[in-house]
């Protein structure tokens, strides 16, 4: 019974649509570079790499790392987050590819 309850609650969270945020990466810059998300909610980040080179979405604060191939999209789920600022970078182009998730 415990297993069944766990499965039901899992499918419940899958059925409820998680908010999605699209982030474009072009010329090694994220747009938007400042992303506001609701605190306490799981959010789906879609990273659309329009550059001809791979990039790695990397965030120590969010505890996430994801390689995104050239001209491809990568998906990173974050949260639920406490209110605050969570910086991220494109690890391969850290001088320009920078951004922050603001949970509020
Ligand atoms: Cu990394």
């Amino acid at each position: 019974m415990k297993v069944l309850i766990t499965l039901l609650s899992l499918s419940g969270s899958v059925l409820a649509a998680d908010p999605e945020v699209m982030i474009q990466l072009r010329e090694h810059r994220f747009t938007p570079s400042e992303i506001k998300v609701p605190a306490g909610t799981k959010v789906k980040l879609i990273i659309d790499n329009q550059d001809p080179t791979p990039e790695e979405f990397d965030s120590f604060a969010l505890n996430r790392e994801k390689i995104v191939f050239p001209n491809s999209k990568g998906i990173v789920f974050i949260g639920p987050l406490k209110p605050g600022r969570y910086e991220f970078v494109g690890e391969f182009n850290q001088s320009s590819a920078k951004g922050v998730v603001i949970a509020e």
Side-chain angles (χ1 to χ4, degrees):
M1 196 56 190
K2 186 165 186 228
V3 171
L4 180 60
I5 289 165
T6 304
L7 286 174
L8 285 173
S9 63
L10 270 178
S11 67
S13 70
V14 170
L15 288 173
D18 298 313
E20 291 182 3
V21 179
M22 180 77 83
I23 306 170
Q24 280 184 9
L25 184 67
R26 192 180 260 184
E27 293 175 357
H28 313 302
R29 288 175 197 280
F30 292 110
T31 306
S33 59
E34 202 175 281
I35 294 145
K36 290 196 175 161
V37 302
T41 306
K42 192 163 127 184
V43 176
K44 181 181 186 178
L45 302 182
I46 304 167
I47 298 140
D48 180 10
N49 182 7
Q50 300 181 353
D51 280 332
T53 54
E55 187 53 272
E56 185 180 80
F57 177 92
D58 197 301
S59 175
F60 181 75
L62 292 165
N63 190 26
R64 290 291 179 277
E65 261 194 336
K66 175 84 183 176
I67 295 266
V68 186
F69 292 108
N71 301 303
S72 300
K73 294 188 180 88
I75 290 170
V76 176
F77 284 96
I78 59 169
L81 297 172
K82 292 181 188 162
R85 292 173 61 88
Y86 301 82
E87 295 187 345
F88 61 85
V89 295
E91 189 174 338
F92 303 152
N93 299 278
Q94 293 184 36
S95 58
S96 58
K98 294 186 251 198
V100 62
V101 172
I102 300 168
E104 55 185 25

